[in-house]
Amino acid sequence: MSERTTQPPETEEATDTGGETEPEPTPTTVTDGATSTVRALENAGIEVMFGVQGGAIMPVYDALWDSDLRHVMMAHEQGAAHAADAYNVVSGQPGVCLATSGPGATNLVTGLADANMDSDAVVALTGQVPQHMVGSDAFQETDTTGITAPITKNNYFASDPDTVGDTVGEAVALASSGRPGPTLVDLPKDVTNGETDREPGMPQTPETYTPQDEADEAAVAEAARAIESAEKPLLLFGGGVVKANASDVAREFAIEYDIPVVTTMPGIGTMPEDHDLCLSWAGMHGTGYANMAINHTDLLIAVGTRFDDRLTGGIETFAPSAEVIHVDIDPAEISKNIHADYPLIGDAGRVVEQLHDAVSEAPDADEWREQCQTWKAEYPMDYAAPDDEPLKPQFVVEALDEATSDEAIVTSGVGQHQMWASQYWTFRDPRKWISSHGLGTMGYGLPAAIGARLAADGDEEVVCIDGDGSFLMTVEELSVAVRENLDITVAILNNEYIGMVRQWQDAFFEGRHMAAGYSWIPEFDKLAEAFGARGWRVDDYDEVADAIEEALAYDGPSVIDFHIDPAENVYPMVPSGGANDKFALSEDQL
Amino acid sequence: MSGGLEGPEPEERPTPEGRRNSQGIRIDPEVEAEPDARRAVLSALVKHEPGVLANISGLFRRRQFNIESLTVGPTTDPDRARITLEIEEPEPGIEQAKKQLQKLVPVIAVTELEASAIRRELALIKVDGSAPDQVGAVAEMYDGKTVDVSQESVTVEITGSEQKIDAAVETFGRFGIHEIVRTGTAALERGTHKTT
């Protein structure tokens, strides 16, 4: 509940009826730039937004008083951007965040850069000093459009109260069309305060933005011939499959033509990880079998991936024998990192349907499928959990997965815990794994859990698997979870280290643990209680199940501080820039 | 150190034939195929609004494209401006530059100009004023003209291809160059070919 609805304005009408019924919010009438902005968001179907108040954005907040839009006041603007981002990933609807000018806007930058790298539809509305003061280094002035130009799909400087609503509408429409991404509208205070009675039109993308939906038929036919004749075909599903809601058609394609599937980390859940054909995710900490398959395939059918270096390793050694079919809605991704022999530009779902129609027979690949299963057996994702050693993080992840339903949504921060969560949780559906991939933003997990909770149905548990270092970076958002009474469970895999840094120091810096130790870490269970959440501390195997059960049962934010084996590292690991099949299974192989 | 997984060691694993070059192109292991850089002239029709040029130059800076020159000016349509960009990159880089440029929302169209396109640059060259007649004669040789004369200096205006201006600058060098300014290339397709 936002503050507005919990404390309704005392209107004449409400007093007259003795306060028996809550006053209906007055429908927004456009009177100024701020009400036009709010009307544009309503027209776009926005329901929830995340933000932080401040001087230059106050007119917009004032206009929200009279609107049904739910506003969640965050503790920090970075949290607002991440929450909006996760809201988008879970719901598919654009996530909206608000901030004031200057520090408010610059605090959004990390979240916008994160959304940009992961192609998430986030709309940021930032306050700005009045236009006559722009350029004068006024109080809380920054060049917000200048700062965010490289990390947004497009941004706008609103200069006219009559058109600001249309601009906001365009920003919302643009964020989620074609290849999604963040957009920003900078709102000078004289524009939001400026009088206008012009109703904004329905949101429209700019006329210069014309993404292509369907791939060229001749190119599809050529790719289909390549699929039919492949001996070692491999499907690679990326985050673009999730964005395009194409998981179902992609799965059908894999199953009908019996082609093994690997995913990227953002593509987790596009193929059920417990399906025979699924080899889980590939890349630096991906499974050994996924990476072996990538390295031996003769035809890589990549859908909605930008071939990030954490996936490819060194491109000189990436899928060396493979021809590449690359399906992407963004032409600039074609042959950016990996040369595409068969470029197919279009919407992931539509192009996979086109391919489905064009392929006439399944490739003859019995031997290859068998080989993939052999690799699964040769490189199992397994771990030892002896009683006399400290708690293993993998055990905690599996226990959480076990205790929650298949509908559960997992968010994470960035680091070792993120890898264990993605390796040892079995994901069966898209939009269940919410993480910071391209930018690798520590601190993403908790605000993302807040955004995910607001987007999720009531019966989907939201679990944030976090690291001690990551959790501390945005811990202030716990106050928001408490105030809004959000039912989220934070599981901290606490090793009192920036664990991934420590792992790299062990592997590549002779074990010199410079600035990696967190020996001054607070007691998170008590910290949680101080915020008004519930907290548990777990040190032993026999406490794990009970703590998880109690935390999940608690109707509100809960934090379990799992003290795990501080020496545990993440494997397999492809060393940065290395060949995918040269993954290390233990430290001595690095 | 605890942890670690089971499975054959890296050296025991079968490794396939084949290789890609540093640009991600699959190549014959016997052949080293590293494409040479070439000069390309891109023409972009853009919305004539504030911030567009900053967006474009920012794009080229952050993606580390090697930019040789950039000119911008209005067109007959007051809402449109034309930008001419010269870059020097290997083939995949040129393709990538075009695509990234096209991706910017205020960019309406991008084309790479043919080798035969008309390319012109303007230079103002200020040389020592002790021999104005000779300076004028050289300027005439390059179809240029004298645009300013003072006691100490003569300034000439030269337009033409980049090579012609390079040559002119070298020739004027003998008079002693005080200052020089060049515009970078502006270019259009020849004849009835539309530029974008």
Side-chain angles (χ1 to χ4, degrees), chain A residues 244-303:
Chain A
N245 293 318
S247 299
D248 287 344
V249 288
R251 287 171 188 197
E252 275 168 36
F253 184 85
I255 292 165
E256 172 147 358
Y257 295 111
D258 220 356
I259 300 173
V261 177
V262 299
T263 73
T264 67
M265 199 201 253
I268 283 175
T270 49
M271 187 75 185
E273 292 190 313
D274 50 2
H275 194 284
D276 261 0
L277 282 172
C278 187
L279 306 173
S280 293
W281 56 278
M284 183 173 276
H285 291 295
T287 63
Y289 33 99
N291 282 320
M292 289 300 281
I294 290 254
N295 228 43
H296 286 78
T297 174
D298 65 353
L299 181 71
L300 188 65
I301 309 153
V303 188

Side-chain angles (χ1 to χ4, degrees), chain A residues 563-584:
Chain A
H563 282 252
I564 59 160
D565 185 350
E568 190 67 15
N569 279 341
V570 181
Y571 295 103
M573 178 179 186
V574 179
S576 191
N580 283 51
D581 67 340
K582 295 288 182 278
F583 47 88

